[in-house]
């Protein structure tokens, strides 16, 4: 979770350590100019906005670490993580908005840094902006998508992330269930775990734990950052000049940032954010309209919910909190205001991809079921198909064993359906409607901490109790 650099520098400096300790740390930062020749930029709002990107750079990782933490393979030279961090004007709140790396984006007109070829505006996935045009094109693309003016740019790679976590003595992560990802090697039992730098990198990179994919990964990244802030503010790092300088030097050794982000900016933030804690931070993912929006020549992309996203970024521009008030949170946790006759499920339906088949002779039933599942929040394909073979008496739900938790959420919406694990099915669950179909039961995810119009959560709600 490379956005740690953005907040951690400000939070760590908030310990009151003198100018002599902080001065000179920024000399280790590699400077870039992501704002060069930029025109027609959004109007500045209130507060400060930092675009934080994490690249998949792994050149300085040892062969042993590459093998242990599954970091082999060639890097894509793209952004593995993209976050927009807003520091409120009164410096009492930090809002972190996660932008899915596969977000559908319209790339502005630009010159490819690799080939020198000039490109007109064209559709891409968000993480491709860095590969084609580096920091400058990444900033331009995000400003175009959000309407938020970026004040500072910070870029960190895998190595800096791992070393930073180790410098604070690791982070504490809690999980209510076992989590395992064969791609990253993550393997945690249910309970509390102290993660070192390599394990933390596995934790924030994992996206094959269940059907939540990138949405689940972003939520784990948010939990990690809250845990990092708690460790930094409560673990004695701030009060120990030696430990502070060690951590800061480690963090900044591989950071790339704009020219205007240096010692003076760190100290100014430090003075204003002296009382910063996990409760001072809030986290949200940009609202999604379609988890699998097909684009010719690109493949499946994540399409934002335009109306909700616009409200979210308007709130940032106006420097308004994203998380609900304490009173609203208490009402949500007590069940007041919840939708009637809904079943609480583990995996949010919006993260579950579903293909519907009509296994009966009733014309239009596939479309009816697709619409009903989509109405309760599932990410259906919107193109129901006709099932092969004889008419089914009982509705069948087929799923890849790796997506068993997603299957349980879908099964709750289709009471009585037969569940069948099919190895290699992939992330799209298949529903073949049978003659026993009697309707879809409404479902909602259980996440008492998240609420309000943007499903935001504060840092103190996601750290270990």
């Amino acid at each position: 979770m490379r956005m740690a650099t953005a907040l951690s520098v400000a939070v760590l400096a908030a310990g009151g350590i003198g100018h002599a300790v902080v001065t000179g740390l920024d000399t280790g930062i590699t400077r870039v100019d992501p704002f060069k020749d930029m025109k027609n930029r959004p109007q500045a709002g209130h507060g400060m906005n930092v675009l934080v990107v994490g690249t998949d750079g792994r050149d300085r990782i040892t062969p042993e670490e590459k093998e242990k933490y599954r970091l082999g393979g060639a890097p894509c030279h793209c952004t593995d993580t993209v976050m927009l961090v807003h520091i409120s004007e009164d410096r009492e709140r930090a809002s972190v908005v996660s932008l899915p790396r596969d977000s559908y984006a319209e790339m502005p007109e630009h010159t490819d840094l690799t080939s020198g070829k000039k490109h007109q505006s064209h559709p891409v996935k968000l993480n491709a902006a860095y590969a084609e045009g580096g920091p400058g094109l990444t900033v331009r693309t995000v400003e175009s998508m959000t309407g938020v003016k970026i004040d500072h740019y910070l870029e960190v790679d895998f190595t800096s992330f791992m070393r930073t976590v180790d410098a604070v003595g690791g982070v504490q992560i809690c999980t209510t269930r076992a989590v395992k990802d064969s791609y990253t090697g993550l393997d945690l039992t249910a309970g509390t775990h102290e993660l070192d730098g390599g394990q933390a990198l596995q934790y924030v990179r994992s996206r094959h734990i269940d059907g939540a994919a990138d949405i689940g990964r972003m939520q784990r990244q948010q939990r990690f950052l809250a845990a990092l802030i708690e460790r930094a503010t409560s673990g004695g790092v701030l009060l120990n000049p030696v430990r502070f300088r060690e951590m800061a030097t480690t963090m900044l050794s591989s950071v790339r940032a704009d020219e205007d982000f240096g010692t003076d900016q760190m100290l100014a933030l430090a003075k204003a954010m002296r009382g910063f804690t996990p409760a001072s931070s809030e986290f949200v993912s940009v609202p999604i309209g379609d988890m699998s929006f097909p684009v010719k020549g690109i493949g499946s992309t994540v399409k934002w919910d335009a109306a909700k996203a616009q409200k979210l970024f308007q709130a940032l521009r106006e420097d308004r909190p994203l998380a609900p008030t304490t009173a609203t949170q208490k009402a949500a946790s007590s069940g007041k205001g919840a939708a009637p006759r809904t079943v609480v499920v583990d995996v949010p339906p919006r993260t579950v991809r579903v293909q519907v088949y009509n296994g009966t002779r009733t014309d239009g039933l596939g479309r009816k079921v697709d619409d009903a599942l989509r109405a309760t929040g599932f990410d259906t394909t919107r193109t129901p198909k006709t099932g092969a073979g004889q008419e089914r008496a009982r509705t069948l739900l087929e799923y890849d064993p790796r997506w068993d938790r997603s299957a349980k959420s879908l099964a709750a919406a289709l009471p009585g359906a037969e569940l069948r694990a099919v190895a290699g099915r992939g992330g799209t669950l298949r529903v073949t409607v049978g003659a026993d179909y009697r309707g879809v039961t409404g479902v909602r995810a259980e996440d008492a901490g998240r609420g309000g119009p943007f499903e935001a959560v504060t840092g103190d709600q996601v750290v270990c109790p």
Side-chain angles (χ1 to χ4, degrees):
M1 241 290 289
R2 273 63 76 199
M3 69 81 51
T5 301
L7 289 181
S8 296
V9 169
V11 173
L12 291 176
I17 298 174
H19 192 283
V21 176
V22 180
T23 299
L25 290 178
D26 61 340
T27 58
I29 302 176
T30 301
R31 296 297 179 179
V32 296
D33 186 4
F35 308 115
K36 183 179 180 180
D37 299 328
M38 288 187 65
K39 302 176 182 178
N40 302 318
R41 302 185 65 191
Q43 183 177 356
H46 301 284
M48 181 178 73
N49 301 307
V50 183
L51 181 64
V52 184
V53 304
T55 68
D56 64 345
R58 60 198 77 183
D59 296 340
R60 295 176 298 123
I61 295 177
T62 67
E64 293 76 17
E65 288 174 326
K66 286 184 178 180
E67 181 178 358
K68 183 177 181 180
Y69 301 119
R70 311 285 179 88
L71 297 173
C76 68
H77 301 294
C78 54
T79 48
D80 194 57
T81 298
V82 183
M83 287 188 171
L84 183 56
V85 182
H86 173 80
I87 307 297
S88 63
E89 192 167 35
D90 60 13
R91 300 302 191 255
E92 293 184 356
R93 184 184 68 258
S95 305
V96 182
V97 182
S98 298
L99 309 180
R101 64 179 188 176
D102 291 337
S103 295
Y104 173 85
E106 289 287 343
M107 189 83 75
E109 181 179 331
H110 66 282
T111 300
D112 192 306
L113 291 182
T114 303
S115 65
K117 181 180 179 181
K118 292 186 177 181
H119 294 282
Q120 299 298 316
S121 176
H122 62 281
V124 293
K125 291 182 179 181
L126 176 58
N127 69 340
Y130 186 90
E132 289 194 27
L137 186 58
T138 302
V139 170
R140 289 179 60 197
T141 302
V142 172
E143 285 193 345
S144 175
M145 296 173 72
T146 65
V148 174
K149 185 177 182 179
I150 306 300
D151 300 302
H152 293 291
Y153 173 88
L154 287 171
E155 176 187 317
V156 189
D157 64 11
F158 285 173
T159 304
S160 180
F161 175 85
M162 294 170 65
R163 303 295 181 261
T164 298
V165 175
D166 288 336
V168 297
V171 295
Q172 188 178 78
I173 294 294
C174 296
T175 176
T176 58
R177 63 185 64 82
V179 290
K180 189 172 184 178
D181 188 333
S182 60
Y183 288 82
T184 64
L186 179 70
D187 189 359
L188 301 178
T189 58
T192 302
H193 299 269
E194 288 283 340
L195 306 185
D196 61 20
Q199 293 169 324
L201 184 59
Q202 290 176 312
Y203 180 78
V204 300
R205 292 185 64 225
S206 292
R207 59 196 298 264
H208 298 281
I209 293 175
D210 52 47
D214 256 354
I215 299 299
R217 186 180 76 147
M218 288 190 297
Q219 291 178 351
R220 283 186 289 277
Q221 291 174 345
Q222 293 166 0
R223 288 178 181 272
F224 163 79
L225 182 58
L228 179 63
I229 292 173
E230 182 180 53
R231 179 57 57 91
T233 55
S234 64
V237 174
L238 299 182
L239 303 179
N240 187 322
V242 176
R243 288 193 64 193
F244 169 78
R245 190 172 185 87
E246 177 187 356
M247 177 179 176
T249 302
T250 299
M251 281 194 303
L252 302 179
S253 63
S254 61
V255 167
R256 299 215 304 167
D258 62 275
E259 292 285 351
D260 293 330
F261 191 84
T263 299
D264 290 341
Q265 286 69 37
M266 294 181 200
L267 289 173
L269 284 175
K271 183 178 179 179
M273 299 172 64
R274 195 173 298 274
F276 199 88
T277 68
S280 308
S281 59
E282 55 184 6
F283 303 90
V284 65
S285 301
V286 67
I288 304 301
D290 192 339
M291 286 293 296
S292 186
F293 181 70
V295 179
K296 185 177 181 180
I298 299 176
S300 179
T301 67
V302 176
K303 189 72 174 291
W304 296 358
D305 184 312
K308 291 182 180 179
Q310 183 178 11
K311 292 180 180 178
L312 169 64
F313 297 121
Q314 180 66 29
L316 284 188
R317 288 190 293 270
E318 296 176 357
D319 201 23
R320 291 187 280 112
L322 305 180
T325 63
T326 302
T328 303
Q329 292 168 346
K330 289 182 177 179
S333 62
S334 65
K336 295 179 182 179
R341 291 181 294 180
T342 59
V343 177
V344 175
V345 295
D346 186 22
V347 177
R350 70 178 185 279
T351 67
V352 182
R353 184 68 170 168
V354 183
Q355 172 65 61
V356 175
Y357 285 79
N358 185 358
T360 74
R361 296 188 178 88
T362 304
D363 291 339
L365 183 59
R367 168 59 61 187
K368 180 179 179 181
V369 175
D370 186 284
D371 290 344
L373 288 173
R374 192 165 193 84
T376 199
F378 289 97
D379 180 28
T380 66
T381 64
R382 299 187 184 183
T383 54
K385 301 179 181 180
T386 301
Q390 298 180 343
E391 181 177 19
R392 286 198 60 84
R394 184 181 178 188
T395 299
L396 174 65
L397 194 168
E398 297 173 283
Y399 66 96
D400 190 303
R402 292 183 300 164
W403 278 265
D404 59 333
R405 289 174 54 229
S406 296
K408 291 178 181 177
S409 291
L410 182 56
L414 296 167
E418 174 188 352
L419 273 72
R420 181 182 299 171
V422 181
R425 170 67 65 189
T428 300
L429 281 60
R430 174 171 173 168
V431 171
T432 303
V433 186
D436 65 339
Y437 173 75
R438 294 294 181 272
V440 169
T441 298
V443 299
R444 61 181 177 85
E446 181 178 21
D447 196 340
R450 296 184 182 271
F454 310 120
E455 297 187 5
V457 64
T458 55
D460 59 313
Q461 294 175 298
V462 295
V463 295
C464 295

